[in-house]
Amino acid sequence: MTRNFSFRRAACGAVVGILVAALLAACGESGGGAPSSGAGAAGPPGPVDAEPGATVEREGVTVVFHEVGAAYSFGNFDNAEEGFFFISALFTVRNTGSGSLDLGIESMTLETSGGGRGELRQAAPAVRLAGAGPSPGEETRGWRSWEVPNGTTAATISYKPRPDLEIRFGFTVPDEIRDRWRV
């Protein structure tokens, strides 16, 4: 009887040890919350300066990243292609310096967690972000939208207000992708 009990105890200990080792290994792979750029990664790619709700102040520019949302349509003719959806982000950009800021189509790009890039679209849930940066002392507020493949779970928006400055906003895609975004 003692021999049978010892065997069961050893077997149970081995199983618990394997489960603990697997749990610790899984925690170690997460990198402590650091984003990964591999396919299927849970976090936004690359280094990130801010998340939704944050304000970033840098050398002559202040950017507020208000919110992000996802939808298959904004109504009328603003529909994502089959197998894709829109990611839209609301920004306020303030020019706190004396020079000009870029807000053209090349100044903001979206990188997906799978290593791809979002396709900039003119569609938006409300007022689109201006195509030109605000003058010194002024600000502009609006939405930018990108079309991304279904299955995209996280992304990073890279904003380059000047060639020598980059600000990166990371986020996970909302759980709910709206069929139609109504403002």
Side-chain angles (χ1 to χ4, degrees):
M1 178 106 172
T2 305
R3 183 177 159 151
N4 223 2
F5 177 72
S6 295
F7 175 75
R8 285 185 195 148
R9 191 165 133 193
C12 188
V15 169
V16 168
I18 290 169
L19 291 174
V20 168
L23 180 62
L24 290 174
C27 289
E29 288 175 8
S30 72
S36 169
S37 59
V48 172
D49 298 308
E51 296 179 345
T55 299
V56 176
E57 297 180 30
R58 298 263 172 83
E59 310 161 21
V61 63
T62 299
V63 183
V64 182
F65 181 27
H66 298 280
E67 65 178 291
V68 67
Y72 292 105
S73 171
F74 298 118
N76 298 330
F77 298 106
D78 294 330
N79 300 305
E81 295 292 324
E82 185 72 30
F84 292 82
F85 66 97
F86 296 114
I87 289 178
S88 295
L90 177 60
F91 291 98
T92 297
V93 178
R94 284 187 205 108
N95 188 338
T96 57
S98 58
S100 62
L101 299 177
D102 190 2
L103 269 175
I105 61 171
E106 297 296 322
S107 70
M108 280 191 179
T109 57
L110 183 136
E111 305 164 27
T112 64
S113 56
R117 296 212 179 262
E119 184 72 32
L120 183 67
R121 295 293 185 221
Q122 290 296 319
V127 175
R128 291 190 303 253
L129 192 60
S135 299
E138 295 183 1
E139 72 179 37
T140 186
R141 177 182 167 119
W143 293 87
R144 279 279 163 95
S145 298
W146 295 266
E147 194 174 53
V148 298
N150 288 343
T152 300
T153 59
T156 299
I157 297 170
S158 169
Y159 173 45
K160 294 182 180 178
R162 295 189 312 267
D164 64 334
L165 179 62
E166 179 181 28
I167 303 170
R168 295 174 58 85
F169 303 95
F171 58 92
T172 55
V173 174
D175 290 335
E176 177 193 1
I177 300 174
R178 305 171 195 180
D179 285 333
R180 183 174 177 179
W181 191 331
R182 296 180 187 171
V183 181

